[in-house]
Amino acid sequence: MTSVSEHLDIAPVPRTAAPGGVRLDAAELHASVSDPCLTAMTLLNDIAGRHPDAVSFAAGRPYEGFYEVAALSDYLSAFERHLVDDLGLGPEDVRRTFFQYGRTKGFIHHLITRHLASDERMTVDPESVLVTTGCQEAMVLVLRALCRDERDVVLAAYPSYVGFLGAARLVDVRVRPVAEGPGGIDLADLAEQIRRARADGLRPRACYVVPDFANPSGVSIAEDDRRRLVELAEREDILLLEDNPYSMFHGGEGRLPTLKSMDTGHRVVYFGSFAKTAFAGARVGYVIADQPMADGALFADELAKLKSMLTLNTSTVAQAVVGGFLLRNECSVERATVREAQVYRDNLRAVLTGLEKHFGEAGPLHGSGVSWNAPAGGMFVVVTLPFRADDALLTRSAERFGVLWTPMYHFYAGEGGSHQIRLSFSVLSPERIDVGIGRLAELVADRA
Amino acid sequence: MTSVSEHLDIAPVPRTAAPGGVRLDAAELHASVSDPCLTAMTLLNDIAGRHPDAVSFAAGRPYEGFYEVAALSDYLSAFERHLVDDLGLGPEDVRRTFFQYGRTKGFIHHLITRHLASDERMTVDPESVLVTTGCQEAMVLVLRALCRDERDVVLAAYPSYVGFLGAARLVDVRVRPVAEGPGGIDLADLAEQIRRARADGLRPRACYVVPDFANPSGVSIAEDDRRRLVELAEREDILLLEDNPYSMFHGGEGRLPTLKSMDTGHRVVYFGSFAKTAFAGARVGYVIADQPMADGALFADELAKLKSMLTLNTSTVAQAVVGGFLLRNECSVERATVREAQVYRDNLRAVLTGLEKHFGEAGPLHGSGVSWNAPAGGMFVVVTLPFRADDALLTRSAERFGVLWTPMYHFYAGEGGSHQIRLSFSVLSPERIDVGIGRLAELVADRA
């Protein structure tokens, strides 16, 4: 893969510091600049960059085989027609919608609520939707708003999504880990961690969870546990931060209800993403924050105030493109991503088949101590190895065996995941997966 | 002006809090939610919303008469052709550029440096450019990075741009005011404020300035003072945060050199915006951060790390549209905005002519104590009134006289600007300006 930068023909500007000129030291900058998570991701990217021919189970980006550049102009036209035909805007207001600073909360909120009604059976007040510059911005806004001072903390099921941990570091919010099992977040541990936080004089404000096919673990929360989780939040007086980027990519047996759809007490703040469904580059996501404020406004309105100091409105042209994508699919994202969902299902099967072939009961490496989980969907499988899976092993895996993966320990606060790796299969083909699992087997055989 | 929201035909969802459900209190949220600046802006928007027929000197958005929706698809095509013809990307890499997560620093950096070379005679290393989700995100990133703890403070010429003050509040950075005169920032006071901050045990890291046609004051810094300002930054070991959204809209006699173009010691972090030149809704801006880090990277690379936790890459489709805008104009933004610049010049002349007609030597209200400045360009004029110009007067001005403006005191930290108003003329016509200044004269006559 090449990029714009590699094709640029610009003479480099000399990088010598001027005499007497400034030289900055990372140690003098905000601590988030030196976040270990960032360093880890940089290292992983470096290794990947040095081994472009390796089979990469490390890349987490969505499948790209169905993208067409011409679709972008088509989506813009579809959205323009919607403004004129469905909403009755005149030419001047259409121009303003596309070109001017706009409503901070966005202008595709009504299409998002239609999508949620159609795909997730959720009834959502459009005024509670804040369209954001990707779901990442939504996380930053919610964390910034919820945490007033250093006594406010949030909880998260660990291993946890690095984007959430990064967002927390950026706004100096402490995240306290909660255990996760094969069935998702451990509810007893959640209650215990809330108790401990309070005993430490802290205010646990919210707990972050990905109920469907979590990144990195691939696990999902069963329907009964979802209900118990919402009840626990109510009982303990905390919010749940539900992140749902993967629910469209279920194994074929349909989706479980979201926490938000069970939420009668406004306990759930819901993060939505179009990164894996429309396209990642658009940077369009959203948050549903229907919590009533004391003055009658919604939490979404408070978040919009913060957004007005961070990025103002989400890019109009990006919103219009995603709006057109929704309109072209009658606001059903499930319908829009039928082909991608099939790719992910086929790839998940290929990963599990490959693992069984080499490490299963009839496999040559049966008994070598390799085990794995079998998620019902999503983009990730976790493999447990009989030896440490650290950055040194990854380097060796890339150099000697031509296969890349992500060490799981990066997704834990401190301890945990030392012998585990995450296999991401979203951009591969079943054939490449078969080759890649074979190489992984060679690595295991070599170390065993 | 109507908007998407007003055209939506959605039954409102009842807003009653569920029994036992959560209710949030702004006092429990981060202080930035309750920022007085935000409350002020909300109030101003409310007043404007209640008086749609008033002549509004309050709206700060760019002139919109030349926007065409069809241009967006044309810009996308131009950028696609650039990727293929100029940079030699194949179809797969073109698709990835448009659709996937991309380089955090952006992919129109080379076009931005061409624009700066052409329009501002600046030689900029493309690697020092970070493309951001509007200039606003760039400010947040720079403030977040530069300020490690509560001892780190920044300085700013007051009255100051509310977006900068908002960005600082969002990341808990204290801003200490520096006086501004008719020639821009007061250099003696800057040195004095740096000294005082150090005496208070603080680390002044940087000073924010808008050298050309500042918002809200309209003032510019003379060329000699620009040089002295850069020397002072070098001598005092601080950075300058140069914000340049308006330099294209000079009075016709050309532009003064930017601070960045005089910066031999990497003292200047330069904020660039396309909000007033391409279009505001795109949310594409950038920062030039060529400061060398101790490890050989550039400050822009550290900022990119933070951006990867905030919004990831700037929206690909928004970058592509702005890239196409640049390509269609041979990377000269000055050439692209010839018509807008003429509109602003004509409107500035209309404002100054109107003020002279009513309050000048031959005017009926001569001697009433009204004075004003005469900026050489930009979008703002400041008028000093012989009485307090507060929100109550604004309400009266809107209700009784049909003219809106912005009280200047909002742009000061505490004291200052109590008798001043900002007239913004970017979206008006000379005819409406003439009517509006006439109404302002009636307000003055009524109070005199």
Side-chain angles (χ1 to χ4, degrees):
Chain A
M1 171 171 173
T2 50
S3 68
V4 171
S5 253
E6 289 161 32
H7 285 73
L8 293 179
D9 185 23
I10 304 169
V13 174
R15 287 285 173 74
T16 47
V22 75
R23 178 181 286 276
L24 298 176
D25 191 322
E28 290 168 4
L29 302 180
H30 188 258
S32 54
V33 166
S34 309
D35 190 85
C37 230
L38 281 175
T39 317
M41 292 303 130
T42 306
L43 178 76
L44 297 185
N45 286 335
D46 283 352
I47 296 174
R50 282 202 307 274
H51 300 279
D53 298 328
V55 177
S56 176
F57 291 106
R61 63 185 195 280
Y63 184 75
E64 57 200 21
F66 304 122
Y67 294 141
E68 288 172 50
V69 178
L72 297 174
S73 292
D74 177 61
Y75 291 153
L76 287 177
S77 304
F79 190 73
E80 186 185 3
R81 267 199 304 284
H82 170 66
L83 294 180
V84 176
D85 296 346
D86 302 341
L87 303 184
L89 263 65
E92 200 175 320
D93 288 328
V94 170
R95 278 205 306 273
R96 280 182 181 142
T97 304
F98 276 95
F99 289 98
Q100 279 288 14
Y101 296 110
R103 183 174 178 271
T104 307
K105 282 162 77 178
F107 57 60
I108 59 169
H109 49 314
H110 59 300
L111 303 178
I112 289 171
T113 57
R114 278 187 222 166
H115 142 57
L116 292 171
S118 154
D119 290 324
E120 303 280 8
R121 285 153 295 166
M122 281 160 66
T123 306
V124 172
D125 178 356
E127 283 301 321
S128 72
V129 178
L130 174 68
V131 184
T132 53
T133 309
C135 181
Q136 186 68 27
E137 184 189 35
M139 293 186 194
V140 171
L141 293 170
V142 168
L143 288 166
R144 171 79 315 178
L146 279 183
C147 299
R148 195 179 41 161
D149 60 43
E150 66 288 350
R151 282 170 302 170
D152 295 305
V153 295
V154 295
L155 302 153
Y158 269 63
S160 198
Y161 171 52
V162 289
F164 181 76
L165 301 179
R169 290 203 174 103
L170 199 63
V171 290
D172 289 321
V173 168
R174 274 185 292 174
V175 182
R176 290 172 66 116
V178 178
E180 181 185 81
I185 190 165
D186 182 326
L187 294 177
D189 193 53
L190 174 56
E192 171 63 15
Q193 296 305 330
I194 292 171
R195 195 193 59 72
R196 279 195 210 171
R198 289 189 174 134
D200 292 345
L202 302 173
R203 289 184 297 252
R205 299 299 307 259
C207 180
Y208 173 80
V209 278
V210 184
D212 290 286
F213 323 123
N215 179 4
S217 67
V219 304
S220 297
I221 304 176
E223 187 164 345
D224 277 357
D225 279 345
R226 292 179 189 223
R227 219 170 294 282
R228 285 188 202 104
L229 179 55
V230 174
E231 286 162 8
L232 189 152
E234 187 74 44
R235 198 163 59 238
E236 294 287 350
D237 192 21
I238 65 163
L239 295 175
L240 296 173
L241 310 182
E242 176 178 31
D243 188 8
N244 183 17
Y246 307 113
S247 74
M248 296 300 141
F249 308 126
H250 56 80
E253 66 300 309
R255 287 185 304 282
L256 292 177
T258 63
L259 302 179
K260 189 68 197 159
S261 70
M262 302 172 165
D263 175 33
T264 55
H266 305 296
R267 286 289 161 187
V268 180
V269 174
Y270 178 94
F271 295 119
S273 168
F274 291 106
K276 309 297 186 292
T277 53
F279 62 105
R283 310 313 305 129
V284 177
Y286 60 93
V287 55
I288 299 167
D290 60 3
Q291 288 68 34
M293 300 297 302
D295 67 355
L298 297 173
F299 188 35
D301 299 306
E302 306 301 313
L303 296 173
K305 289 184 194 170
L306 299 188
K307 182 164 164 53
S308 75
M309 302 186 235
L310 186 54
T311 59
L312 289 78
N313 59 269
T314 297
S315 177
T316 53
V317 63
Q319 283 192 80
V321 163
V322 171
F325 162 85
L326 288 169
L327 289 161
R328 281 283 188 227
N329 293 285
E330 298 172 44
C331 291
S332 170
V333 170
E334 169 132 47
R335 191 177 315 174
T337 57
V338 163
R339 293 178 302 178
E340 283 85 352
Q342 193 56 51
V343 166
Y344 298 143
R345 256 170 236 145
D346 292 344
N347 286 358
L348 172 56
R349 194 177 313 116
V351 169
L352 297 176
T353 303
L355 290 169
E356 185 64 33
K357 184 171 84 177
H358 292 280
F359 306 108
E361 286 199 4
L365 290 167
H366 180 60
S368 63
V370 172
S371 62
W372 60 93
N373 66 354
M379 302 184 172
F380 310 104
V381 167
V382 173
V383 177
T384 304
L385 300 176
F387 41 80
R388 280 194 94 76
D390 54 16
D391 299 338
L393 185 74
L394 173 60
T395 304
R396 184 176 161 78
S397 178
E399 284 173 5
R400 292 268 314 257
F401 301 98
V403 60
L404 297 169
W405 34 266
T406 309
M408 279 289 285
Y409 83 88
H410 291 303
F411 306 115
Y412 284 84
E415 282 314 287
S418 63
H419 287 53
Q420 292 188 318
I421 64 176
R422 185 190 74 175
L423 301 185
S424 172
F425 49 77
S426 50
V427 288
L428 296 170
S429 64
E431 295 70 31
R432 286 291 281 172
I433 288 170
D434 189 55
V435 171
I437 302 286
R439 293 179 181 182
L440 185 66
E442 290 175 36
L443 171 73
V444 171
D446 179 66
R447 288 294 305 247
Chain B
M1 172 172 172
T2 51
S3 69
V4 171
S5 255
E6 288 160 32
H7 286 73
L8 294 179
D9 184 22
I10 304 169
V13 175
R15 286 285 173 74
T16 49
V22 76
R23 178 182 286 275
L24 299 176
D25 191 323
E28 291 168 4
L29 303 180
H30 187 260
S32 53
V33 166
S34 308
D35 189 84
C37 230
L38 281 174
T39 317
M41 291 303 129
T42 306
L43 177 75
L44 296 186
N45 286 334
D46 284 352
I47 295 174
R50 283 201 307 275
H51 300 280
D53 298 329
V55 177
S56 177
F57 291 106
R61 62 185 197 280
Y63 184 76
E64 57 201 22
F66 304 121
Y67 295 141
E68 289 172 48
V69 178
L72 297 174
S73 293
D74 177 60
Y75 291 154
L76 287 176
S77 305
F79 190 73
E80 186 185 3
R81 267 199 305 285
H82 169 66
L83 294 179
V84 175
D85 296 346
D86 301 340
L87 303 183
L89 265 65
E92 200 175 320
D93 287 327
V94 170
R95 277 205 305 275
R96 279 181 182 143
T97 303
F98 276 97
F99 288 99
Q100 280 287 14
Y101 296 110
R103 183 174 177 271
T104 306
K105 282 161 75 177
F107 57 59
I108 59 168
H109 48 314
H110 59 300
L111 303 178
I112 289 171
T113 57
R114 278 187 222 164
H115 143 56
L116 292 170
S118 154
D119 290 323
E120 301 281 9
R121 284 153 294 164
M122 282 160 65
T123 306
V124 172
D125 179 357
E127 284 300 321
S128 72
V129 179
L130 173 68
V131 184
T132 53
T133 309
C135 181
Q136 187 67 27
E137 183 189 37
M139 292 185 196
V140 171
L141 293 170
V142 168
L143 288 166
R144 171 80 313 179
L146 278 182
C147 297
R148 195 178 43 160
D149 60 44
E150 67 287 351
R151 281 170 300 170
D152 294 306
V153 295
V154 294
L155 303 153
Y158 270 62
S160 197
Y161 172 53
V162 289
F164 182 76
L165 302 179
R169 291 202 173 103
L170 199 64
V171 291
D172 289 323
V173 167
R174 273 184 291 173
V175 181
R176 289 172 67 115
V178 178
E180 182 184 80
I185 189 164
D186 181 326
L187 295 177
D189 192 52
L190 173 56
E192 171 63 15
Q193 296 305 330
I194 292 171
R195 195 194 60 72
R196 280 194 211 171
R198 289 188 174 134
D200 292 345
L202 302 173
R203 288 185 296 254
R205 299 298 307 259
C207 180
Y208 172 80
V209 277
V210 184
D212 291 286
F213 323 122
N215 179 3
S217 67
V219 304
S220 298
I221 304 176
E223 186 163 346
D224 278 356
D225 279 344
R226 293 178 188 223
R227 219 171 295 280
R228 285 188 202 105
L229 179 55
V230 174
E231 286 162 9
L232 189 153
E234 186 74 43
R235 198 163 59 238
E236 294 288 349
D237 191 21
I238 65 163
L239 295 174
L240 295 174
L241 310 182
E242 176 178 30
D243 188 8
N244 184 16
Y246 308 113
S247 73
M248 294 301 140
F249 308 127
H250 55 81
E253 66 300 310
R255 286 185 305 283
L256 293 177
T258 63
L259 301 177
K260 189 67 196 160
S261 71
M262 303 173 165
D263 175 33
T264 55
H266 305 296
R267 286 288 159 188
V268 180
V269 174
Y270 178 94
F271 296 119
S273 168
F274 290 106
K276 308 298 187 292
T277 53
F279 63 105
R283 310 313 305 131
V284 176
Y286 60 93
V287 54
I288 299 167
D290 60 2
Q291 288 68 32
M293 300 297 302
D295 67 356
L298 297 174
F299 188 38
D301 299 307
E302 307 300 314
L303 296 174
K305 289 184 194 169
L306 299 189
K307 182 164 164 53
S308 74
M309 302 189 235
L310 186 54
T311 59
L312 289 79
N313 59 270
T314 298
S315 177
T316 52
V317 63
Q319 282 190 80
V321 163
V322 170
F325 162 85
L326 288 169
L327 288 161
R328 281 285 187 228
N329 294 285
E330 297 173 42
C331 292
S332 170
V333 170
E334 169 132 48
R335 190 176 316 175
T337 57
V338 163
R339 293 178 302 176
E340 283 85 352
Q342 193 56 51
V343 166
Y344 297 143
R345 256 171 238 145
D346 292 344
N347 286 358
L348 172 57
R349 194 176 315 113
V351 169
L352 298 176
T353 303
L355 290 169
E356 186 63 32
K357 183 171 81 176
H358 292 281
F359 306 108
E361 287 201 3
L365 290 166
H366 181 60
S368 64
V370 173
S371 62
W372 59 92
N373 67 354
M379 302 185 172
F380 311 104
V381 167
V382 173
V383 178
T384 304
L385 300 176
F387 40 80
R388 280 194 94 78
D390 54 16
D391 299 337
L393 186 73
L394 174 60
T395 304
R396 186 177 160 78
S397 178
E399 284 172 5
R400 293 266 316 257
F401 301 97
V403 60
L404 297 168
W405 34 265
T406 309
M408 280 288 286
Y409 82 89
H410 291 303
F411 307 115
Y412 285 85
E415 283 313 288
S418 64
H419 288 51
Q420 292 188 317
I421 65 176
R422 185 191 74 177
L423 301 185
S424 171
F425 49 78
S426 49
V427 288
L428 297 170
S429 64
E431 295 71 30
R432 287 290 281 171
I433 289 170
D434 188 54
V435 171
I437 301 285
R439 294 179 181 183
L440 186 66
E442 290 174 37
L443 170 73
V444 170
D446 178 67
R447 287 294 303 245

